[in-house]
């Protein structure tokens, strides 16, 4: 069996729209990553929240890397 290895740059991932596969809802674009420097792995992706607080500050949505089900050509599919 031949294994398929796909490599993506951080900048390439940030241009892909993140979609929840259960609801079909568009969650937005990746703003940042949480990285485990000891194991050299991405722990989670961070998206800007759609909601804004009273003071104009928006919270972030953090999605664990394990919740990513598929990375396509221009979308990232997650299961929240």
């Amino acid at each position: 069996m031949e294994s398929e290895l796909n490599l993506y740059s951080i900048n390439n991932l940030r241009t892909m729209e993140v979609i929840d596969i259960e609801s079909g809802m568009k969650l937005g674009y990746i703003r940042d990553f949480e990285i485990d420097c000891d194991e050299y792995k991405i722990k989670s992706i961070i998206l800007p929240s759609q909601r804004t607080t009273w003071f104009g500050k928006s919270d972030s949505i953090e999605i664990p890397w394990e919740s990513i089900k598929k990375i396509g050509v221009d979308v990232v599919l997650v299961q929240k």
Side-chain angles (χ1 to χ4, degrees):
M1 179 163 50
E2 189 176 317
S3 98
E4 181 181 327
L5 179 64
N6 291 324
L7 299 175
Y8 299 94
S9 71
I10 297 287
N11 285 333
N12 190 17
L13 286 172
R14 292 181 78 167
T15 64
M16 298 179 182
E17 190 162 29
V18 179
I19 298 176
D20 181 5
I21 59 175
E22 290 182 353
S23 67
M25 189 167 92
K26 296 178 180 182
L27 302 176
Y29 293 89
I30 299 171
R31 182 176 66 192
D32 208 351
F33 298 88
E34 182 179 354
I35 298 175
D36 182 342
C37 293
D38 294 329
E39 294 191 25
Y40 307 107
K41 293 182 178 180
I42 297 175
K43 290 177 65 176
S44 61
I45 58 175
I46 300 171
L47 311 170
S49 175
Q50 306 298 334
R51 291 177 277 135
T52 309
T53 64
W54 282 80
F55 302 106
K57 182 182 176 203
S58 61
D59 295 327
S60 298
I61 301 169
E62 187 170 350
I63 299 174
W65 186 257
E66 295 79 27
S67 296
I68 295 176
K69 298 305 175 191
K70 180 76 175 168
I71 299 175
V73 176
D74 56 355
V75 295
V76 177
L77 300 177
V78 299
Q79 187 172 18
K80 286 177 55 176

